[in-house]
mmCIF file of all heavy atoms in Angstrom:
data_model
loop_
_atom_site.group_PDB
_atom_site.id
_atom_site.type_symbol
_atom_site.label_atom_id
_atom_site.label_comp_id
_atom_site.label_asym_id
_atom_site.label_seq_id
_atom_site.Cartn_x
_atom_site.Cartn_y
_atom_site.Cartn_z
ATOM 1 N N LEU A 1 67.327 -40.584 -41.098
ATOM 2 C CA LEU A 1 66.741 -39.266 -41.139
ATOM 3 C C LEU A 1 67.806 -38.242 -41.568
ATOM 4 O O LEU A 1 67.505 -37.369 -42.389
ATOM 5 C CB LEU A 1 66.215 -38.851 -39.727
ATOM 6 C CG LEU A 1 64.863 -39.505 -39.352
ATOM 7 C CD1 LEU A 1 64.557 -39.221 -37.836
ATOM 8 C CD2 LEU A 1 63.731 -39.011 -40.229
ATOM 9 N N ALA A 2 68.992 -38.335 -41.028
ATOM 10 C CA ALA A 2 70.065 -37.415 -41.389
ATOM 11 C C ALA A 2 70.407 -37.548 -42.863
ATOM 12 O O ALA A 2 70.559 -36.563 -43.605
ATOM 13 C CB ALA A 2 71.287 -37.629 -40.559
ATOM 14 N N GLU A 3 70.461 -38.783 -43.376
ATOM 15 C CA GLU A 3 70.764 -39.050 -44.761
ATOM 16 C C GLU A 3 69.653 -38.486 -45.686
ATOM 17 O O GLU A 3 69.905 -37.927 -46.725
ATOM 18 C CB GLU A 3 70.949 -40.542 -45.020
ATOM 19 C CG GLU A 3 71.425 -40.859 -46.426
ATOM 20 C CD GLU A 3 71.679 -42.338 -46.612
ATOM 21 O OE1 GLU A 3 71.626 -43.101 -45.598
ATOM 22 O OE2 GLU A 3 71.924 -42.781 -47.791
ATOM 23 N N SER A 4 68.441 -38.724 -45.298
ATOM 24 C CA SER A 4 67.307 -38.273 -46.089
ATOM 25 C C SER A 4 67.215 -36.744 -46.167
ATOM 26 O O SER A 4 66.928 -36.204 -47.228
ATOM 27 C CB SER A 4 65.973 -38.806 -45.479
ATOM 28 O OG SER A 4 64.867 -38.267 -46.172
ATOM 29 N N LEU A 5 67.518 -36.074 -45.033
ATOM 30 C CA LEU A 5 67.450 -34.608 -45.016
ATOM 31 C C LEU A 5 68.765 -33.974 -45.531
ATOM 32 O O LEU A 5 68.878 -32.762 -45.593
ATOM 33 C CB LEU A 5 67.152 -34.130 -43.611
ATOM 34 C CG LEU A 5 65.800 -34.577 -43.060
ATOM 35 C CD1 LEU A 5 65.626 -34.133 -41.578
ATOM 36 C CD2 LEU A 5 64.638 -33.998 -43.890
ATOM 37 N N ASP A 6 69.811 -34.829 -45.821
ATOM 38 C CA ASP A 6 71.051 -34.384 -46.323
ATOM 39 C C ASP A 6 71.705 -33.428 -45.358
ATOM 40 O O ASP A 6 72.134 -32.309 -45.705
ATOM 41 C CB ASP A 6 70.895 -33.688 -47.700
ATOM 42 C CG ASP A 6 72.243 -33.506 -48.383
ATOM 43 O OD1 ASP A 6 73.191 -34.277 -48.043
ATOM 44 O OD2 ASP A 6 72.360 -32.648 -49.261
ATOM 45 N N ILE A 7 71.779 -33.828 -44.085
ATOM 46 C CA ILE A 7 72.406 -32.964 -43.092
ATOM 47 C C ILE A 7 73.415 -33.889 -42.278
ATOM 48 O O ILE A 7 73.328 -35.126 -42.336
ATOM 49 C CB ILE A 7 71.398 -32.344 -42.083
ATOM 50 C CG1 ILE A 7 70.624 -33.431 -41.395
ATOM 51 C CG2 ILE A 7 70.534 -31.383 -42.766
ATOM 52 C CD1 ILE A 7 69.675 -32.883 -40.290
ATOM 53 N N ALA A 8 74.332 -33.229 -41.644
ATOM 54 C CA ALA A 8 75.334 -34.005 -40.901
ATOM 55 C C ALA A 8 74.642 -34.539 -39.628
ATOM 56 O O ALA A 8 73.758 -33.934 -39.019
ATOM 57 C CB ALA A 8 76.465 -33.050 -40.439
ATOM 58 N N LEU A 9 75.023 -35.753 -39.254
ATOM 59 C CA LEU A 9 74.393 -36.479 -38.109
ATOM 60 C C LEU A 9 74.496 -35.660 -36.823
ATOM 61 O O LEU A 9 73.548 -35.630 -36.074
ATOM 62 C CB LEU A 9 75.071 -37.842 -37.938
ATOM 63 C CG LEU A 9 74.391 -38.779 -36.955
ATOM 64 C CD1 LEU A 9 72.927 -39.077 -37.397
ATOM 65 C CD2 LEU A 9 75.147 -40.105 -36.843
ATOM 66 N N PRO A 10 75.650 -35.002 -36.516
ATOM 67 C CA PRO A 10 75.705 -34.198 -35.296
ATOM 68 C C PRO A 10 74.654 -33.112 -35.214
ATOM 69 O O PRO A 10 74.229 -32.682 -34.093
ATOM 70 C CB PRO A 10 77.102 -33.569 -35.342
ATOM 71 C CG PRO A 10 77.899 -34.544 -36.141
ATOM 72 C CD PRO A 10 76.968 -35.023 -37.220
ATOM 73 N N ALA A 11 74.088 -32.664 -36.344
ATOM 74 C CA ALA A 11 73.053 -31.645 -36.336
ATOM 75 C C ALA A 11 71.766 -32.109 -35.686
ATOM 76 O O ALA A 11 70.917 -31.357 -35.284
ATOM 77 C CB ALA A 11 72.751 -31.163 -37.747
ATOM 78 N N LEU A 12 71.644 -33.491 -35.607
ATOM 79 C CA LEU A 12 70.428 -34.064 -34.991
ATOM 80 C C LEU A 12 70.647 -34.339 -33.523
ATOM 81 O O LEU A 12 69.724 -34.810 -32.853
ATOM 82 C CB LEU A 12 70.046 -35.328 -35.706
ATOM 83 C CG LEU A 12 69.585 -35.225 -37.162
ATOM 84 C CD1 LEU A 12 69.165 -36.591 -37.678
ATOM 85 C CD2 LEU A 12 68.463 -34.244 -37.310
ATOM 86 N N GLY A 13 71.833 -34.050 -33.014
ATOM 87 C CA GLY A 13 72.173 -34.386 -31.627
ATOM 88 C C GLY A 13 71.197 -33.770 -30.633
ATOM 89 O O GLY A 13 70.867 -34.387 -29.628
ATOM 90 N N ALA A 14 70.735 -32.542 -30.879
ATOM 91 C CA ALA A 14 69.885 -31.878 -29.958
ATOM 92 C C ALA A 14 68.390 -32.349 -30.026
ATOM 93 O O ALA A 14 67.624 -31.973 -29.134
ATOM 94 C CB ALA A 14 69.919 -30.375 -30.205
ATOM 95 N N VAL A 15 68.042 -33.136 -31.036
ATOM 96 C CA VAL A 15 66.682 -33.653 -31.132
ATOM 97 C C VAL A 15 66.347 -34.449 -29.876
ATOM 98 O O VAL A 15 65.236 -34.294 -29.313
ATOM 99 C CB VAL A 15 66.482 -34.478 -32.406
ATOM 100 C CG1 VAL A 15 65.097 -35.126 -32.391
ATOM 101 C CG2 VAL A 15 66.620 -33.624 -33.662
ATOM 102 N N PHE A 16 67.258 -35.299 -29.465
ATOM 103 C CA PHE A 16 66.983 -36.136 -28.304
ATOM 104 C C PHE A 16 66.880 -35.288 -27.027
ATOM 105 O O PHE A 16 66.034 -35.508 -26.163
ATOM 106 C CB PHE A 16 68.090 -37.195 -28.132
ATOM 107 C CG PHE A 16 67.736 -38.307 -27.145
ATOM 108 C CD1 PHE A 16 66.903 -39.306 -27.572
ATOM 109 C CD2 PHE A 16 68.259 -38.285 -25.873
ATOM 110 C CE1 PHE A 16 66.529 -40.296 -26.654
ATOM 111 C CE2 PHE A 16 67.938 -39.269 -24.996
ATOM 112 C CZ PHE A 16 67.085 -40.260 -25.351
ATOM 113 N N SER A 17 67.715 -34.242 -26.954
ATOM 114 C CA SER A 17 67.582 -33.353 -25.790
ATOM 115 C C SER A 17 66.238 -32.620 -25.815
ATOM 116 O O SER A 17 65.616 -32.448 -24.770
ATOM 117 C CB SER A 17 68.722 -32.307 -25.846
ATOM 118 O OG SER A 17 69.980 -32.960 -25.600
ATOM 119 N N PHE A 18 65.769 -32.156 -26.978
ATOM 120 C CA PHE A 18 64.502 -31.549 -27.102
ATOM 121 C C PHE A 18 63.404 -32.511 -26.681
ATOM 122 O O PHE A 18 62.439 -32.097 -26.007
ATOM 123 C CB PHE A 18 64.253 -31.058 -28.492
ATOM 124 C CG PHE A 18 64.691 -29.622 -28.762
ATOM 125 C CD1 PHE A 18 66.011 -29.341 -28.949
ATOM 126 C CD2 PHE A 18 63.763 -28.603 -28.804
ATOM 127 C CE1 PHE A 18 66.438 -28.054 -29.156
ATOM 128 C CE2 PHE A 18 64.189 -27.309 -29.023
ATOM 129 C CZ PHE A 18 65.522 -27.022 -29.178
ATOM 130 N N TYR A 19 63.509 -33.790 -27.102
ATOM 131 C CA TYR A 19 62.552 -34.754 -26.705
ATOM 132 C C TYR A 19 62.456 -34.812 -25.214
ATOM 133 O O TYR A 19 61.361 -34.843 -24.624
ATOM 134 C CB TYR A 19 62.916 -36.127 -27.301
ATOM 135 C CG TYR A 19 62.293 -37.256 -26.502
ATOM 136 C CD1 TYR A 19 60.980 -37.630 -26.642
ATOM 137 C CD2 TYR A 19 63.056 -37.979 -25.558
ATOM 138 C CE1 TYR A 19 60.435 -38.649 -25.900
ATOM 139 C CE2 TYR A 19 62.526 -39.016 -24.840
ATOM 140 C CZ TYR A 19 61.199 -39.342 -24.967
ATOM 141 O OH TYR A 19 60.616 -40.335 -24.230
ATOM 142 N N VAL A 20 63.581 -34.965 -24.548
ATOM 143 C CA VAL A 20 63.606 -35.102 -23.069
ATOM 144 C C VAL A 20 63.026 -33.845 -22.411
ATOM 145 O O VAL A 20 62.202 -33.972 -21.441
ATOM 146 C CB VAL A 20 65.031 -35.367 -22.555
ATOM 147 C CG1 VAL A 20 65.037 -35.370 -20.999
ATOM 148 C CG2 VAL A 20 65.505 -36.665 -23.072
ATOM 149 N N VAL A 21 63.326 -32.693 -22.896
ATOM 150 C CA VAL A 21 62.775 -31.439 -22.325
ATOM 151 C C VAL A 21 61.287 -31.392 -22.383
ATOM 152 O O VAL A 21 60.592 -31.199 -21.413
ATOM 153 C CB VAL A 21 63.424 -30.227 -23.030
ATOM 154 C CG1 VAL A 21 62.666 -28.928 -22.584
ATOM 155 C CG2 VAL A 21 64.889 -30.054 -22.695
ATOM 156 N N PHE A 22 60.737 -31.609 -23.616
ATOM 157 C CA PHE A 22 59.257 -31.549 -23.758
ATOM 158 C C PHE A 22 58.535 -32.693 -23.094
ATOM 159 O O PHE A 22 57.461 -32.562 -22.543
ATOM 160 C CB PHE A 22 58.943 -31.473 -25.249
ATOM 161 C CG PHE A 22 59.150 -30.062 -25.805
ATOM 162 C CD1 PHE A 22 60.387 -29.814 -26.511
ATOM 163 C CD2 PHE A 22 58.198 -29.120 -25.759
ATOM 164 C CE1 PHE A 22 60.543 -28.531 -26.990
ATOM 165 C CE2 PHE A 22 58.379 -27.860 -26.259
ATOM 166 C CZ PHE A 22 59.583 -27.501 -26.940
ATOM 167 N N GLN A 23 59.152 -33.888 -23.129
ATOM 168 C CA GLN A 23 58.486 -35.035 -22.438
ATOM 169 C C GLN A 23 58.460 -34.830 -20.951
ATOM 170 O O GLN A 23 57.552 -35.217 -20.304
ATOM 171 C CB GLN A 23 59.307 -36.348 -22.793
ATOM 172 C CG GLN A 23 58.594 -37.567 -22.378
ATOM 173 C CD GLN A 23 59.301 -38.271 -21.213
ATOM 174 O OE1 GLN A 23 60.398 -37.834 -20.693
ATOM 175 N NE2 GLN A 23 58.829 -39.428 -20.825
ATOM 176 N N SER A 24 59.506 -34.175 -20.410
ATOM 177 C CA SER A 24 59.522 -33.986 -18.966
ATOM 178 C C SER A 24 58.655 -32.811 -18.525
ATOM 179 O O SER A 24 57.893 -32.908 -17.596
ATOM 180 C CB SER A 24 61.010 -33.701 -18.552
ATOM 181 O OG SER A 24 61.826 -34.776 -18.920
ATOM 182 N N LEU A 25 58.783 -31.642 -19.225
ATOM 183 C CA LEU A 25 58.099 -30.454 -18.753
ATOM 184 C C LEU A 25 56.594 -30.522 -19.003
ATOM 185 O O LEU A 25 55.801 -29.849 -18.317
ATOM 186 C CB LEU A 25 58.649 -29.206 -19.480
ATOM 187 C CG LEU A 25 60.141 -28.870 -19.178
ATOM 188 C CD1 LEU A 25 60.494 -27.571 -19.843
ATOM 189 C CD2 LEU A 25 60.376 -28.777 -17.648
ATOM 190 N N SER A 26 56.199 -31.373 -19.936
ATOM 191 C CA SER A 26 54.731 -31.543 -20.161
ATOM 192 C C SER A 26 54.019 -32.253 -19.061
ATOM 193 O O SER A 26 52.801 -32.186 -18.874
ATOM 194 C CB SER A 26 54.466 -32.294 -21.495
ATOM 195 O OG SER A 26 55.022 -33.598 -21.409
ATOM 196 N N GLN A 27 54.766 -32.942 -18.182
ATOM 197 C CA GLN A 27 54.150 -33.761 -17.204
ATOM 198 C C GLN A 27 53.563 -32.983 -16.019
ATOM 199 O O GLN A 27 52.548 -33.491 -15.413
ATOM 200 C CB GLN A 27 55.179 -34.799 -16.683
ATOM 201 C CG GLN A 27 55.556 -35.802 -17.700
ATOM 202 C CD GLN A 27 56.229 -37.042 -17.138
ATOM 203 O OE1 GLN A 27 55.883 -37.501 -16.037
ATOM 204 N NE2 GLN A 27 57.196 -37.546 -17.819
ATOM 205 N N PHE A 28 54.069 -31.834 -15.702
ATOM 206 C CA PHE A 28 53.484 -31.126 -14.570
ATOM 207 C C PHE A 28 52.092 -30.618 -14.883
ATOM 208 O O PHE A 28 51.130 -30.850 -14.089
ATOM 209 C CB PHE A 28 54.348 -29.949 -14.095
ATOM 210 C CG PHE A 28 53.743 -29.191 -12.937
ATOM 211 C CD1 PHE A 28 53.678 -29.777 -11.702
ATOM 212 C CD2 PHE A 28 53.137 -27.939 -13.136
ATOM 213 C CE1 PHE A 28 53.052 -29.104 -10.635
ATOM 214 C CE2 PHE A 28 52.536 -27.305 -12.057
ATOM 215 C CZ PHE A 28 52.514 -27.892 -10.845
ATOM 216 N N PRO A 29 51.856 -29.876 -15.998
ATOM 217 C CA PRO A 29 50.437 -29.517 -16.289
ATOM 218 C C PRO A 29 49.557 -30.687 -16.516
ATOM 219 O O PRO A 29 48.402 -30.713 -16.099
ATOM 220 C CB PRO A 29 50.577 -28.647 -17.576
ATOM 221 C CG PRO A 29 51.921 -28.954 -18.124
ATOM 222 C CD PRO A 29 52.802 -29.335 -16.978
ATOM 223 N N ALA A 30 50.066 -31.756 -17.137
ATOM 224 C CA ALA A 30 49.274 -32.953 -17.319
ATOM 225 C C ALA A 30 48.935 -33.579 -15.951
ATOM 226 O O ALA A 30 47.822 -34.042 -15.720
ATOM 227 C CB ALA A 30 50.024 -33.958 -18.205
ATOM 228 N N GLY A 31 49.924 -33.644 -15.072
ATOM 229 C CA GLY A 31 49.683 -34.225 -13.751
ATOM 230 C C GLY A 31 48.688 -33.436 -12.930
ATOM 231 O O GLY A 31 47.846 -33.980 -12.220
ATOM 232 N N TRP A 32 48.836 -32.078 -13.000
ATOM 233 C CA TRP A 32 47.930 -31.215 -12.264
ATOM 234 C C TRP A 32 46.518 -31.486 -12.741
ATOM 235 O O TRP A 32 45.581 -31.523 -11.948
ATOM 236 C CB TRP A 32 48.336 -29.746 -12.507
ATOM 237 C CG TRP A 32 47.522 -28.758 -11.683
ATOM 238 C CD1 TRP A 32 47.845 -28.226 -10.494
ATOM 239 C CD2 TRP A 32 46.310 -28.180 -12.101
ATOM 240 N NE1 TRP A 32 46.869 -27.336 -10.095
ATOM 241 C CE2 TRP A 32 45.835 -27.301 -11.043
ATOM 242 C CE3 TRP A 32 45.444 -28.282 -13.241
ATOM 243 C CZ2 TRP A 32 44.717 -26.581 -11.095
ATOM 244 C CZ3 TRP A 32 44.261 -27.589 -13.274
ATOM 245 C CH2 TRP A 32 43.910 -26.696 -12.198
ATOM 246 N N TRP A 33 46.314 -31.510 -14.039
ATOM 247 C CA TRP A 33 44.970 -31.735 -14.631
ATOM 248 C C TRP A 33 44.482 -33.125 -14.186
ATOM 249 O O TRP A 33 43.284 -33.213 -13.842
ATOM 250 C CB TRP A 33 45.009 -31.597 -16.134
ATOM 251 C CG TRP A 33 43.720 -31.917 -16.789
ATOM 252 C CD1 TRP A 33 43.137 -33.164 -17.101
ATOM 253 C CD2 TRP A 33 42.732 -30.995 -17.269
ATOM 254 N NE1 TRP A 33 41.932 -33.013 -17.695
ATOM 255 C CE2 TRP A 33 41.712 -31.719 -17.833
ATOM 256 C CE3 TRP A 33 42.681 -29.553 -17.299
ATOM 257 C CZ2 TRP A 33 40.549 -31.081 -18.412
ATOM 258 C CZ3 TRP A 33 41.580 -28.969 -17.819
ATOM 259 C CH2 TRP A 33 40.546 -29.712 -18.401
ATOM 260 N N ARG A 34 45.295 -34.091 -14.275
ATOM 261 C CA ARG A 34 44.874 -35.445 -14.014
ATOM 262 C C ARG A 34 44.442 -35.635 -12.536
ATOM 263 O O ARG A 34 43.455 -36.333 -12.242
ATOM 264 C CB ARG A 34 45.992 -36.434 -14.324
ATOM 265 C CG ARG A 34 45.606 -37.941 -14.260
ATOM 266 C CD ARG A 34 45.839 -38.573 -12.930
ATOM 267 N NE ARG A 34 45.437 -39.944 -12.931
ATOM 268 C CZ ARG A 34 46.192 -40.990 -13.401
ATOM 269 N NH1 ARG A 34 47.382 -40.711 -13.825
ATOM 270 N NH2 ARG A 34 45.661 -42.202 -13.317
ATOM 271 N N ASP A 35 45.185 -35.036 -11.592
ATOM 272 C CA ASP A 35 44.843 -35.157 -10.189
ATOM 273 C C ASP A 35 43.450 -34.531 -9.908
ATOM 274 O O ASP A 35 42.796 -34.899 -8.920
ATOM 275 C CB ASP A 35 45.875 -34.428 -9.318
ATOM 276 C CG ASP A 35 47.101 -35.253 -9.100
ATOM 277 O OD1 ASP A 35 47.058 -36.497 -9.258
ATOM 278 O OD2 ASP A 35 48.172 -34.657 -8.818
ATOM 279 N N ARG A 36 43.014 -33.575 -10.737
ATOM 280 C CA ARG A 36 41.742 -32.888 -10.504
ATOM 281 C C ARG A 36 40.618 -33.263 -11.443
ATOM 282 O O ARG A 36 39.447 -33.206 -11.131
ATOM 283 C CB ARG A 36 41.990 -31.375 -10.571
ATOM 284 C CG ARG A 36 42.882 -30.882 -9.434
ATOM 285 C CD ARG A 36 43.596 -29.594 -9.736
ATOM 286 N NE ARG A 36 44.386 -29.163 -8.587
ATOM 287 C CZ ARG A 36 45.582 -29.631 -8.311
ATOM 288 N NH1 ARG A 36 46.146 -30.572 -9.080
ATOM 289 N NH2 ARG A 36 46.247 -29.196 -7.248
ATOM 290 N N ARG A 37 40.969 -33.703 -12.685
ATOM 291 C CA ARG A 37 39.934 -33.964 -13.702
ATOM 292 C C ARG A 37 39.897 -35.408 -14.270
ATOM 293 O O ARG A 37 39.069 -35.726 -15.059
ATOM 294 C CB ARG A 37 40.087 -32.965 -14.848
ATOM 295 C CG ARG A 37 40.127 -31.507 -14.503
ATOM 296 C CD ARG A 37 38.768 -31.034 -13.999
ATOM 297 N NE ARG A 37 38.794 -29.608 -13.659
ATOM 298 C CZ ARG A 37 38.652 -28.589 -14.520
ATOM 299 N NH1 ARG A 37 38.478 -28.880 -15.825
ATOM 300 N NH2 ARG A 37 38.656 -27.357 -14.120
ATOM 301 N N GLY A 38 40.927 -36.145 -13.908
ATOM 302 C CA GLY A 38 41.020 -37.520 -14.428
ATOM 303 C C GLY A 38 41.786 -37.601 -15.753
ATOM 304 O O GLY A 38 42.227 -36.614 -16.292
ATOM 305 N N PRO A 39 41.976 -38.845 -16.214
ATOM 306 C CA PRO A 39 42.943 -39.020 -17.341
ATOM 307 C C PRO A 39 42.370 -38.989 -18.772
ATOM 308 O O PRO A 39 43.140 -38.948 -19.706
ATOM 309 C CB PRO A 39 43.453 -40.441 -17.034
ATOM 310 C CG PRO A 39 42.307 -41.148 -16.447
ATOM 311 C CD PRO A 39 41.568 -40.099 -15.607
ATOM 312 N N ARG A 40 41.026 -39.086 -18.915
ATOM 313 C CA ARG A 40 40.465 -39.369 -20.239
ATOM 314 C C ARG A 40 40.794 -38.358 -21.328
ATOM 315 O O ARG A 40 41.317 -38.711 -22.418
ATOM 316 C CB ARG A 40 38.967 -39.599 -20.119
ATOM 317 C CG ARG A 40 38.322 -39.988 -21.435
ATOM 318 C CD ARG A 40 36.988 -40.714 -21.210
ATOM 319 N NE ARG A 40 37.243 -41.947 -20.514
ATOM 320 C CZ ARG A 40 36.259 -42.814 -20.264
ATOM 321 N NH1 ARG A 40 34.992 -42.476 -20.521
ATOM 322 N NH2 ARG A 40 36.499 -43.930 -19.653
ATOM 323 N N LEU A 41 40.478 -37.067 -21.049
ATOM 324 C CA LEU A 41 40.748 -36.037 -22.071
ATOM 325 C C LEU A 41 42.231 -35.952 -22.377
ATOM 326 O O LEU A 41 42.633 -35.743 -23.547
ATOM 327 C CB LEU A 41 40.221 -34.677 -21.659
ATOM 328 C CG LEU A 41 38.676 -34.552 -21.648
ATOM 329 C CD1 LEU A 41 38.249 -33.174 -21.132
ATOM 330 C CD2 LEU A 41 38.133 -34.760 -23.070
ATOM 331 N N LEU A 42 43.049 -36.105 -21.388
ATOM 332 C CA LEU A 42 44.501 -36.046 -21.539
ATOM 333 C C LEU A 42 44.918 -37.150 -22.539
ATOM 334 O O LEU A 42 45.864 -36.912 -23.380
ATOM 335 C CB LEU A 42 45.222 -36.243 -20.252
ATOM 336 C CG LEU A 42 45.242 -35.008 -19.291
ATOM 337 C CD1 LEU A 42 45.822 -35.440 -17.981
ATOM 338 C CD2 LEU A 42 46.103 -33.900 -19.896
ATOM 339 N N MET A 43 44.370 -38.361 -22.409
ATOM 340 C CA MET A 43 44.792 -39.445 -23.225
ATOM 341 C C MET A 43 44.425 -39.256 -24.681
ATOM 342 O O MET A 43 45.105 -39.686 -25.596
ATOM 343 C CB MET A 43 44.243 -40.763 -22.692
ATOM 344 C CG MET A 43 44.891 -41.153 -21.355
ATOM 345 S SD MET A 43 46.752 -41.093 -21.420
ATOM 346 C CE MET A 43 47.051 -42.128 -22.846
ATOM 347 N N PHE A 44 43.269 -38.654 -24.934
ATOM 348 C CA PHE A 44 42.870 -38.373 -26.346
ATOM 349 C C PHE A 44 43.869 -37.379 -26.955
ATOM 350 O O PHE A 44 44.311 -37.514 -28.126
ATOM 351 C CB PHE A 44 41.428 -37.759 -26.348
ATOM 352 C CG PHE A 44 40.336 -38.798 -26.299
ATOM 353 C CD1 PHE A 44 39.501 -38.847 -25.238
ATOM 354 C CD2 PHE A 44 40.243 -39.805 -27.271
ATOM 355 C CE1 PHE A 44 38.468 -39.789 -25.165
ATOM 356 C CE2 PHE A 44 39.243 -40.773 -27.164
ATOM 357 C CZ PHE A 44 38.356 -40.734 -26.150
ATOM 358 N N LEU A 45 44.269 -36.348 -26.185
ATOM 359 C CA LEU A 45 45.253 -35.415 -26.663
ATOM 360 C C LEU A 45 46.609 -36.076 -26.922
ATOM 361 O O LEU A 45 47.245 -35.833 -27.939
ATOM 362 C CB LEU A 45 45.396 -34.272 -25.636
ATOM 363 C CG LEU A 45 46.487 -33.207 -25.976
ATOM 364 C CD1 LEU A 45 46.196 -32.516 -27.286
ATOM 365 C CD2 LEU A 45 46.607 -32.229 -24.827
ATOM 366 N N ALA A 46 47.002 -36.942 -26.000
ATOM 367 C CA ALA A 46 48.284 -37.656 -26.169
ATOM 368 C C ALA A 46 48.253 -38.544 -27.405
ATOM 369 O O ALA A 46 49.260 -38.652 -28.096
ATOM 370 C CB ALA A 46 48.537 -38.543 -24.911
ATOM 371 N N ALA A 47 47.121 -39.167 -27.723
ATOM 372 C CA ALA A 47 47.043 -40.009 -28.936
ATOM 373 C C ALA A 47 47.293 -39.191 -30.205
ATOM 374 O O ALA A 47 48.048 -39.645 -31.092
ATOM 375 C CB ALA A 47 45.643 -40.662 -28.994
ATOM 376 N N LEU A 48 46.737 -38.010 -30.211
ATOM 377 C CA LEU A 48 46.925 -37.120 -31.437
ATOM 378 C C LEU A 48 48.344 -36.665 -31.558
ATOM 379 O O LEU A 48 48.935 -36.671 -32.650
ATOM 380 C CB LEU A 48 45.951 -35.987 -31.344
ATOM 381 C CG LEU A 48 44.472 -36.249 -31.417
ATOM 382 C CD1 LEU A 48 43.631 -35.015 -31.280
ATOM 383 C CD2 LEU A 48 44.115 -36.951 -32.733
#
């Protein structure tokens, strides 16, 4: 990816941190919804 975009590899270092942040913080609203409404609509959204 770094080679294709012609950028230095360290510039991608924060991508993994962003992944962890969004993967983690998305779970509370998803969990709140799931405890009350079930998993189906959430899973369609996750697929997209």
Side-chain angles (χ1 to χ4, degrees):
L1 284 172
E3 186 177 353
S4 173
L5 298 176
D6 193 25
I7 59 175
L9 191 59
L12 295 183
V15 172
F16 194 78
S17 293
F18 269 77
Y19 157 78
V20 174
V21 169
F22 282 95
Q23 190 247 2
S24 302
L25 297 184
S26 64
Q27 292 196 37
F28 180 72
W32 185 93
W33 176 280
R34 189 267 178 84
D35 280 338
R36 292 158 178 81
R37 305 290 181 84
R40 183 156 295 180
L41 288 178
L42 283 172
M43 290 311 305
F44 280 118
L45 176 61
L48 295 176

